[in-house]
Amino acid sequence: MKLQRPTQTFLPFSILSIVYLLLLAFLPTNTATAESYHLSSPEYHILGLLLGIPRIIVWFAAFYGFWRLDQYTMAIRKTVDGRAFMHVSRGLRWLAWGLPLSGIVGNLTGGITHAHPGFDTAGVLITHFITLIISLVSFSFISTGSRELLDSTGKQMPMSGLRVFALGFIFIGVAYCYATVRGVIVQHGHPYHMPMWLILLTVVIPYLYAWLMGFLAAYDFSLYRKHSSGLLYKSALNKLAGGLGLIIITSVLLQYITSTLTYLRRITLDWRLVGVYIILLVYATGFILLARGANQLKMIEEV
Amino acid sequence: MAAVSLYKRVVRITHIYLGPAADRFIARQVESHLHKNPEKLNADDLSHLIDWIRVAVSLLTDDSEIVEEYIGQLRRLIEPLPGHDTKQARGNGN
């Protein structure tokens, strides 16, 4: 792994952002969505840009966050912690790149579907599998790194914590299964257009596995922070752990909401916008916290 | 039991503040400011090293209490313990 220069990180970000904005501005209006919210074509595009610009700010925060963590990781690459942080950093890189990629692919497939309605199922599946693969890879890397960090302290997950963790995850998993299965049974034209067994096999199980990896990573990292020593080191690590926790939880929340989207149509547009902005704000806060923590840790290695 | 080198005692104190980064931090200060092998650190170098550590740690935190507490602990290494062999207090360097 080589140290990335700022241009190597931020040039692709700028190109992806411009592509995304151009798609928002020039893709034909999705008449079904526009009609359901009583929007004219210009209003539809303005709304798209209004939602798109905060998204790009979040992407910038994500790229900045992983770039900062990369720099810290490079500073300690020869240590045991360095190798573990490298996995975390690699996972965050996947997560950061996944944001614009899934956004662009989602818009492109949406645009193609509008012109060729027969592409609907393929478009949904392409967007779904790209988001899913990014989620699986990124959370697996972060989880591997967090577990290595926890192992380096010689501590293990306590049984009481494991019980609460298992209960919480079962609750989330069952709620997700319920929402997905109900969506298929109740609603005609469920977006996946697949038999139930295939939905369970290719949507529910992989997502639950990815989220389990994500939550495990957040929990392991918080335990590593707890068992680490050093007043100043821990202060920086607190920010890093807080940021990582927020990123993982918000990321899972976003995927949860996106994959059970059919239910959200009941919510009014105003509330959907408020919800999206809050989630984006928390997501960006997570990456900024992570960047600040990584910056502080890097300072310790430089002075 | 072999006597703990002065370098290791400095790292042990630093560990309270910088955790796993302590060893690397002290090695860097000794190598870049005192231009010597960290394991060769001796009591004569300590005062100079502490000055550099104060500068470095002040860049890491605005909390002067933490800085003073850390520097105070390091300064105690300069004062020889009652009945302690002066040669041992001077570390194992040179």
Side-chain angles (χ1 to χ4, degrees), chain A residues 72 75-76 79 81 224 228-234 296 299-303, chain B residues 14-21 24-25 28-29 56-57 59-61 66 69:
Chain A
Y72 169 62
I76 58 159
T79 66
D81 286 7
Y224 168 68
S228 288
S229 54
L231 279 170
L232 300 176
Y233 181 80
K234 217 167 168 172
Q296 257 180 277
M299 279 265 301
I300 293 175
E301 302 298 332
E302 284 178 343
V303 292
Chain B
T14 306
H15 201 269
I16 301 166
Y17 301 92
L18 297 183
R24 299 190 290 271
F25 175 78
R28 203 166 48 249
Q29 303 307 314
V57 176
L59 291 172
L60 298 176
T61 179
I66 290 181
E69 183 193 287

Short mmCIF file of all heavy atoms in Angstrom, two decimals, chain A residues 72 75-76 79 81 224 228-234 296 299-303, chain B residues 14-21 24-25 28-29 56-57 59-61 66 69:
data_model
loop_
_atom_site.label_atom_id
_atom_site.label_comp_id
_atom_site.label_asym_id
_atom_site.label_seq_id
_atom_site.Cartn_x
_atom_site.Cartn_y
_atom_site.Cartn_z
N TYR A 72 -2.15 8.21 8.37
CA TYR A 72 -1.75 7.70 9.69
C TYR A 72 -1.26 6.26 9.57
O TYR A 72 -0.22 5.88 10.12
CB TYR A 72 -2.92 7.79 10.68
CG TYR A 72 -2.64 7.04 11.97
CD1 TYR A 72 -1.60 7.43 12.80
CD2 TYR A 72 -3.41 5.95 12.34
CE1 TYR A 72 -1.31 6.74 13.97
CE2 TYR A 72 -3.14 5.25 13.51
CZ TYR A 72 -2.09 5.65 14.32
OH TYR A 72 -1.81 4.96 15.47
N ALA A 75 2.16 5.95 8.37
CA ALA A 75 3.16 6.36 9.37
C ALA A 75 3.50 5.21 10.33
O ALA A 75 4.59 5.17 10.88
CB ALA A 75 2.66 7.58 10.13
N ILE A 76 2.55 4.28 10.54
CA ILE A 76 2.79 3.18 11.49
C ILE A 76 2.74 1.82 10.80
O ILE A 76 2.49 0.80 11.45
CB ILE A 76 1.78 3.22 12.66
CG1 ILE A 76 0.34 3.13 12.16
CG2 ILE A 76 1.97 4.45 13.53
CD1 ILE A 76 -0.63 2.66 13.23
N THR A 79 4.30 -1.51 12.20
CA THR A 79 3.93 -2.02 13.51
C THR A 79 2.75 -2.99 13.40
O THR A 79 2.10 -3.06 12.35
CB THR A 79 3.53 -0.86 14.45
OG1 THR A 79 2.32 -0.28 13.95
CG2 THR A 79 4.60 0.21 14.51
N ASP A 81 -0.10 -2.71 15.03
CA ASP A 81 -1.29 -1.87 14.89
C ASP A 81 -1.43 -1.36 13.46
O ASP A 81 -2.53 -1.21 12.95
CB ASP A 81 -1.19 -0.65 15.83
CG ASP A 81 -1.41 -1.04 17.27
OD1 ASP A 81 -1.51 -2.25 17.54
OD2 ASP A 81 -1.48 -0.14 18.13
N TYR A 224 -11.35 -2.02 21.66
CA TYR A 224 -9.92 -1.70 21.51
C TYR A 224 -9.64 -0.32 22.13
O TYR A 224 -8.67 -0.15 22.85
CB TYR A 224 -9.55 -1.71 20.03
CG TYR A 224 -8.18 -1.12 19.74
CD1 TYR A 224 -7.03 -1.76 20.17
CD2 TYR A 224 -8.06 0.10 19.06
CE1 TYR A 224 -5.78 -1.20 19.93
CE2 TYR A 224 -6.81 0.65 18.82
CZ TYR A 224 -5.68 0.00 19.25
OH TYR A 224 -4.44 0.56 19.02
N SER A 228 -7.22 0.41 25.36
CA SER A 228 -5.94 1.05 25.01
C SER A 228 -5.49 1.97 26.12
O SER A 228 -6.30 2.50 26.87
CB SER A 228 -6.10 1.86 23.72
OG SER A 228 -6.21 1.01 22.65
N SER A 229 -4.17 2.15 26.21
CA SER A 229 -3.65 3.06 27.23
C SER A 229 -3.14 4.33 26.56
O SER A 229 -3.02 4.40 25.34
CB SER A 229 -2.51 2.36 27.97
OG SER A 229 -1.55 1.92 27.02
N GLY A 230 -2.83 5.33 27.38
CA GLY A 230 -2.29 6.58 26.85
C GLY A 230 -3.36 7.66 26.80
O GLY A 230 -4.26 7.57 25.97
N LEU A 231 -3.22 8.66 27.69
CA LEU A 231 -4.23 9.72 27.76
C LEU A 231 -4.43 10.43 26.42
O LEU A 231 -5.57 10.59 25.96
CB LEU A 231 -3.80 10.77 28.81
CG LEU A 231 -4.07 10.44 30.27
CD1 LEU A 231 -3.37 11.44 31.18
CD2 LEU A 231 -5.56 10.45 30.53
N LEU A 232 -3.34 10.83 25.79
CA LEU A 232 -3.44 11.59 24.54
C LEU A 232 -3.78 10.67 23.37
O LEU A 232 -4.56 11.03 22.49
CB LEU A 232 -2.14 12.34 24.26
CG LEU A 232 -1.73 13.35 25.32
CD1 LEU A 232 -0.39 13.96 25.01
CD2 LEU A 232 -2.78 14.45 25.46
N TYR A 233 -3.22 9.47 23.39
CA TYR A 233 -3.50 8.48 22.35
C TYR A 233 -4.99 8.13 22.38
O TYR A 233 -5.65 8.08 21.34
CB TYR A 233 -2.64 7.24 22.58
CG TYR A 233 -2.82 6.15 21.56
CD1 TYR A 233 -2.19 6.21 20.32
CD2 TYR A 233 -3.61 5.03 21.83
CE1 TYR A 233 -2.35 5.20 19.38
CE2 TYR A 233 -3.77 4.02 20.90
CZ TYR A 233 -3.13 4.11 19.69
OH TYR A 233 -3.30 3.11 18.76
N LYS A 234 -5.50 7.94 23.59
CA LYS A 234 -6.90 7.54 23.75
C LYS A 234 -7.85 8.66 23.33
O LYS A 234 -8.93 8.40 22.80
CB LYS A 234 -7.15 7.15 25.21
CG LYS A 234 -8.10 6.00 25.34
CD LYS A 234 -8.09 5.45 26.72
CE LYS A 234 -9.25 4.50 26.89
NZ LYS A 234 -9.22 3.78 28.12
N GLN A 296 -4.92 13.52 14.57
CA GLN A 296 -4.28 13.62 15.90
C GLN A 296 -3.29 12.47 16.10
O GLN A 296 -2.20 12.66 16.61
CB GLN A 296 -5.35 13.56 17.00
CG GLN A 296 -5.66 14.92 17.60
CD GLN A 296 -6.72 14.79 18.67
OE1 GLN A 296 -7.89 14.76 18.34
NE2 GLN A 296 -6.32 14.71 19.92
N MET A 299 -0.23 13.07 14.14
CA MET A 299 0.62 14.10 14.79
C MET A 299 1.53 13.45 15.83
O MET A 299 2.70 13.80 15.95
CB MET A 299 -0.26 15.14 15.48
CG MET A 299 -0.81 16.20 14.58
SD MET A 299 0.15 17.69 14.50
CE MET A 299 0.23 18.31 16.15
N ILE A 300 0.95 12.48 16.60
CA ILE A 300 1.74 11.80 17.64
C ILE A 300 2.94 11.10 17.00
O ILE A 300 4.01 11.03 17.58
CB ILE A 300 0.86 10.77 18.40
CG1 ILE A 300 -0.21 11.51 19.23
CG2 ILE A 300 1.70 9.89 19.32
CD1 ILE A 300 -1.20 10.60 19.93
N GLU A 301 2.75 10.60 15.78
CA GLU A 301 3.83 9.87 15.10
C GLU A 301 4.81 10.81 14.40
O GLU A 301 5.82 10.35 13.87
CB GLU A 301 3.24 8.91 14.05
CG GLU A 301 2.27 7.88 14.60
CD GLU A 301 2.90 6.94 15.62
OE1 GLU A 301 4.11 6.69 15.53
OE2 GLU A 301 2.17 6.47 16.51
N GLU A 302 4.49 12.09 14.36
CA GLU A 302 5.35 13.01 13.60
C GLU A 302 6.17 13.96 14.45
O GLU A 302 7.26 14.35 14.06
CB GLU A 302 4.49 13.84 12.64
CG GLU A 302 4.05 13.05 11.43
CD GLU A 302 3.16 13.86 10.51
OE1 GLU A 302 2.62 14.88 10.95
OE2 GLU A 302 3.00 13.43 9.36
N VAL A 303 5.65 14.36 15.63
CA VAL A 303 6.36 15.39 16.42
C VAL A 303 7.62 14.79 17.06
O VAL A 303 7.70 13.60 17.31
CB VAL A 303 5.47 16.02 17.50
CG1 VAL A 303 4.39 16.87 16.86
CG2 VAL A 303 4.91 15.00 18.44
N THR B 14 6.09 7.52 29.49
CA THR B 14 5.44 8.06 28.29
C THR B 14 4.23 7.23 27.88
O THR B 14 3.25 7.75 27.34
CB THR B 14 6.47 8.13 27.13
OG1 THR B 14 7.60 8.87 27.59
CG2 THR B 14 5.90 8.81 25.90
N HIS B 15 4.29 5.93 28.17
CA HIS B 15 3.20 5.02 27.82
C HIS B 15 1.88 5.48 28.46
O HIS B 15 0.80 5.31 27.88
CB HIS B 15 3.55 3.60 28.28
CG HIS B 15 2.79 2.55 27.56
ND1 HIS B 15 1.59 2.07 28.01
CD2 HIS B 15 3.05 1.91 26.39
CE1 HIS B 15 1.15 1.17 27.15
NE2 HIS B 15 2.00 1.06 26.17
N ILE B 16 1.97 6.10 29.64
CA ILE B 16 0.74 6.57 30.32
C ILE B 16 0.04 7.63 29.46
O ILE B 16 -1.17 7.75 29.48
CB ILE B 16 1.10 7.19 31.70
CG1 ILE B 16 1.80 6.15 32.57
CG2 ILE B 16 -0.12 7.78 32.39
CD1 ILE B 16 2.47 6.75 33.81
N TYR B 17 0.82 8.36 28.68
CA TYR B 17 0.24 9.46 27.90
C TYR B 17 0.06 9.12 26.42
O TYR B 17 -0.90 9.54 25.79
CB TYR B 17 1.12 10.71 28.05
CG TYR B 17 1.23 11.10 29.49
CD1 TYR B 17 2.27 10.62 30.29
CD2 TYR B 17 0.23 11.86 30.10
CE1 TYR B 17 2.33 10.91 31.64
CE2 TYR B 17 0.29 12.15 31.43
CZ TYR B 17 1.34 11.67 32.21
OH TYR B 17 1.37 11.95 33.55
N LEU B 18 0.99 8.36 25.88
CA LEU B 18 0.93 8.10 24.43
C LEU B 18 0.65 6.64 24.07
O LEU B 18 0.64 6.30 22.88
CB LEU B 18 2.24 8.56 23.76
CG LEU B 18 2.53 10.06 23.87
CD1 LEU B 18 3.79 10.42 23.11
CD2 LEU B 18 1.38 10.91 23.36
N GLY B 19 0.42 5.82 25.06
CA GLY B 19 0.05 4.43 24.80
C GLY B 19 1.03 3.72 23.89
O GLY B 19 2.25 3.86 24.04
N PRO B 20 0.50 2.98 22.88
CA PRO B 20 1.39 2.20 22.01
C PRO B 20 2.36 3.04 21.19
O PRO B 20 3.31 2.49 20.62
CB PRO B 20 0.41 1.44 21.09
CG PRO B 20 -0.90 2.09 21.27
CD PRO B 20 -0.92 2.80 22.55
N ALA B 21 2.13 4.35 21.13
CA ALA B 21 3.04 5.21 20.34
C ALA B 21 4.25 5.66 21.16
O ALA B 21 5.15 6.32 20.62
CB ALA B 21 2.27 6.43 19.83
N ARG B 24 7.93 4.59 19.99
CA ARG B 24 8.31 5.28 18.74
C ARG B 24 8.56 6.76 19.00
O ARG B 24 9.50 7.34 18.45
CB ARG B 24 7.17 5.13 17.70
CG ARG B 24 6.86 3.70 17.31
CD ARG B 24 5.92 3.64 16.12
NE ARG B 24 4.57 4.08 16.41
CZ ARG B 24 3.59 3.27 16.85
NH1 ARG B 24 3.84 1.99 17.05
NH2 ARG B 24 2.37 3.73 17.08
N PHE B 25 7.74 7.36 19.86
CA PHE B 25 7.85 8.78 20.17
C PHE B 25 9.20 9.10 20.81
O PHE B 25 9.91 10.01 20.37
CB PHE B 25 6.69 9.19 21.08
CG PHE B 25 6.74 10.61 21.58
CD1 PHE B 25 6.36 11.67 20.76
CD2 PHE B 25 7.18 10.89 22.86
CE1 PHE B 25 6.40 12.98 21.22
CE2 PHE B 25 7.23 12.19 23.33
CZ PHE B 25 6.84 13.24 22.52
N ARG B 28 12.16 8.54 18.52
CA ARG B 28 12.26 9.64 17.54
C ARG B 28 12.89 10.89 18.16
O ARG B 28 13.74 11.54 17.55
CB ARG B 28 10.86 9.94 16.99
CG ARG B 28 10.84 10.60 15.64
CD ARG B 28 9.47 10.58 14.98
NE ARG B 28 8.40 11.01 15.87
CZ ARG B 28 7.46 10.20 16.34
NH1 ARG B 28 7.46 8.93 16.03
NH2 ARG B 28 6.51 10.67 17.14
N GLN B 29 12.49 11.21 19.40
CA GLN B 29 13.03 12.41 20.07
C GLN B 29 14.53 12.25 20.29
O GLN B 29 15.30 13.18 20.05
CB GLN B 29 12.35 12.65 21.44
CG GLN B 29 10.83 12.78 21.41
CD GLN B 29 10.34 13.83 20.43
OE1 GLN B 29 10.86 14.94 20.36
NE2 GLN B 29 9.34 13.47 19.63
N ALA B 56 7.33 18.95 22.10
CA ALA B 56 6.56 18.03 21.25
C ALA B 56 5.16 17.79 21.81
O ALA B 56 4.17 17.85 21.08
CB ALA B 56 7.32 16.72 21.11
N VAL B 57 5.08 17.54 23.12
CA VAL B 57 3.77 17.21 23.71
C VAL B 57 2.87 18.45 23.72
O VAL B 57 1.65 18.33 23.57
CB VAL B 57 3.94 16.61 25.13
CG1 VAL B 57 2.61 16.37 25.78
CG2 VAL B 57 4.70 15.31 25.03
N LEU B 59 2.58 20.42 21.42
CA LEU B 59 1.96 20.48 20.09
C LEU B 59 0.77 19.52 19.99
O LEU B 59 -0.09 19.67 19.15
CB LEU B 59 2.98 20.12 19.00
CG LEU B 59 4.12 21.12 18.77
CD1 LEU B 59 5.15 20.53 17.81
CD2 LEU B 59 3.59 22.43 18.22
N LEU B 60 0.76 18.51 20.86
CA LEU B 60 -0.29 17.49 20.79
C LEU B 60 -1.51 17.83 21.63
O LEU B 60 -2.60 17.32 21.37
CB LEU B 60 0.26 16.13 21.26
CG LEU B 60 1.40 15.53 20.45
CD1 LEU B 60 1.90 14.24 21.09
CD2 LEU B 60 0.95 15.24 19.02
N THR B 61 -1.33 18.65 22.66
CA THR B 61 -2.47 18.99 23.52
C THR B 61 -2.36 20.42 24.05
O THR B 61 -1.25 20.93 24.25
CB THR B 61 -2.59 17.99 24.71
OG1 THR B 61 -3.69 18.38 25.52
CG2 THR B 61 -1.34 17.94 25.55
N ILE B 66 -1.84 18.26 31.82
CA ILE B 66 -1.31 16.96 31.37
C ILE B 66 0.19 17.10 31.05
O ILE B 66 1.00 16.26 31.45
CB ILE B 66 -2.09 16.44 30.13
CG1 ILE B 66 -3.50 16.03 30.54
CG2 ILE B 66 -1.36 15.26 29.48
CD1 ILE B 66 -4.35 15.49 29.43
N GLU B 69 2.17 17.44 34.28
CA GLU B 69 2.18 16.17 35.02
C GLU B 69 3.19 15.19 34.40
O GLU B 69 3.99 14.57 35.10
CB GLU B 69 0.77 15.57 34.98
CG GLU B 69 0.59 14.30 35.77
CD GLU B 69 -0.72 13.61 35.43
OE1 GLU B 69 -1.77 14.10 35.85
OE2 GLU B 69 -0.67 12.58 34.74
#
